[in-house]
Amino acid sequence: ELAALCADQFESRQLTGRHVIITAGPTREALDPVRYLSNHSSGKMGFALAEACAEAGARVTLIAGPVHLATPPRVQRVDVVSACDMLGASETAVNDAVASLGAARVVFIATAAVADYRPAQVAGQKIKKGLKDDTLDITLIKNPDIVATIAARADKPFVMGFAAETQQVEGYACDKLSRKRLDLIACNDVSRGDIGFQSDDNAMVVFWPDAGQGSSAAAPGLGRAELAKAPKTQIARALVG
Amino acid sequence: ELAALCADQFESRQLTGRHVIITAGPTREALDPVRYLSNHSSGKMGFALAEACAEAGARVTLIAGPVHLATPPRVQRVDVVSACDMLGASETAVNDAVASLGAARVVFIATAAVADYRPAQVAGQKIKKGLKDDTLDITLIKNPDIVATIAARADKPFVMGFAAETQQVEGYACDKLSRKRLDLIACNDVSRGDIGFQSDDNAMVVFWPDAGQGSSAAAPGLGRAELAKAPKTQIARALVG
């Protein structure tokens, strides 16, 4: 049980010798030099996890989209804008960490709210509003799936994902866990105003592939634990310990 | 000449008895509860103008899109998200100010980078990325033109606009001045990295309808002044003095 693990894992330095790579914040997908498509991610979860992991002794690389947050102490921060930038920075960080420590000592935590789609064409100049054009059609194309790309590596690190949904939260999260070959997924309901985006608190449920038959399992072959309002430092230490 | 005016207008309290209403920052146009379309406006220009106008004795209402800036002292701030919200807040503020002081004592300064378009349909739930859909087409519809709406009022206040362009800066600005019936327009070239969006400095050119034949006019019937790296407080005092 993760809840029990939390209580046991407050000793510091328990992550010494591990390299934790965390993506955080939104991405921005340019339509032209001025306009972009983005989403309401504050990046707080990823930054809090980065701080907690660094406090626990891990080497931490934080790959951050455009957010207004200070870099936690002893965290190496890489700023990116688009999903393609974030994928490139993630692959570089995982390559380096795996080469240095081996995949078993590398943890990849994908908290970023990566834009699923980007404009198919990026205008080099600001798109002018036509005087007679009451509508404008834009075509979006799918962005690369960063967490699935990392989880599909032959030298796969431990990979944790997050799911921010507004409906059927558990169903989507469990589907994402198996489809993307994640080792752990945390999900919350962003439609609740008291938790989720922009909020300092997150009430979360975590799932992992479970060969056993845990009594708390939501579905066969799946582990489940609720972390209602758990402090993020506890979550971080439990999940990557 | 505005440059000469600047030097003369440093006495404080010169805007006492006036109500200055300023829009600032970007707007965000929701695609669904999570995603939005926005632009790279920091809001710094509008907030600096609000501070300068308040220091000069004006009553100031600052209608702000989503920005990460502190409210200047003695400024009444109204936070909005979308262009439609911003129009509603602007009309309310102008209605109240004109009723209280008369249109001749009200100044409306539109620094906000209002989204020209918004998604035609806003999904109530997060749009799911289909496994097989490599593209997604979205239709945008035109947003209301806030500064033109205010300038078209029968009880029109003094209206100042801004133009942020990446090409043919002066041509677009002058067209905007006459088409939207503005009293003054300031423009800068946001494609220059050293000025414009996110920058603390703005090198600007301002234009106004000019019945005379100023030697510095860019076009017949148009006044023109360059305010290269002019401190924003000077600009504010010159423009609304």
Side-chain angles (χ1 to χ4, degrees), chain A residues 35 116 130 137 139-140 142 166, chain B residues 35 116 130 136-137 139 142:
Chain A
R35 299 178 178 87
D116 292 341
D137 291 306
T139 298
L140 307 177
K142 208 180 262 191
T166 55
Chain B
R35 299 179 178 87
D116 292 341
L136 177 67
D137 291 305
T139 298
K142 210 180 259 192

Side-chain angles (χ1 to χ4, degrees), chain A residues 193-218:
Chain A
D194 54 333
I195 56 174
F197 289 116
Q198 307 289 347
S199 168
D200 284 325
D201 282 317
N202 270 281
M204 295 202 306
V205 182
V206 293
F207 300 94
W208 59 94
D210 187 1
Q213 300 84 22
S215 61
S216 63

Side-chain angles (χ1 to χ4, degrees), chain B residues 61-84:
Chain B
T61 301
L62 177 59
I63 300 167
V67 296
H68 293 264
L69 295 171
T71 308
R74 297 183 303 284
V75 167
Q76 182 195 16
R77 176 172 177 171
V78 180
D79 284 319
V80 297
V81 175
S82 70
C84 292

Side-chain angles (χ1 to χ4, degrees), chain A residues 34-36 38-40 68 116 125-126 128 130 133-140 142 164-166, chain B residues 34-36 38-40 68 116 125-126 128 130-131 133-140 142 164-166:
Chain A
V34 174
R35 299 178 178 87
Y36 61 81
S38 192
N39 64 68
H40 298 287
H68 293 265
D116 292 341
Q125 300 290 344
K126 182 180 172 186
K128 298 303 298 177
D133 301 333
D134 286 334
T135 64
L136 177 67
D137 291 306
I138 57 177
T139 298
L140 307 177
K142 208 180 262 191
E165 305 295 343
T166 55
Chain B
V34 174
R35 299 179 178 87
Y36 61 82
S38 191
N39 64 69
H40 298 285
H68 293 264
D116 292 341
Q125 300 291 344
K126 181 181 172 187
K128 297 303 298 177
L131 294 179
D133 300 334
D134 287 334
T135 64
L136 177 67
D137 291 305
I138 57 177
T139 298
L140 307 177
K142 210 180 259 192
E165 304 294 343
T166 55

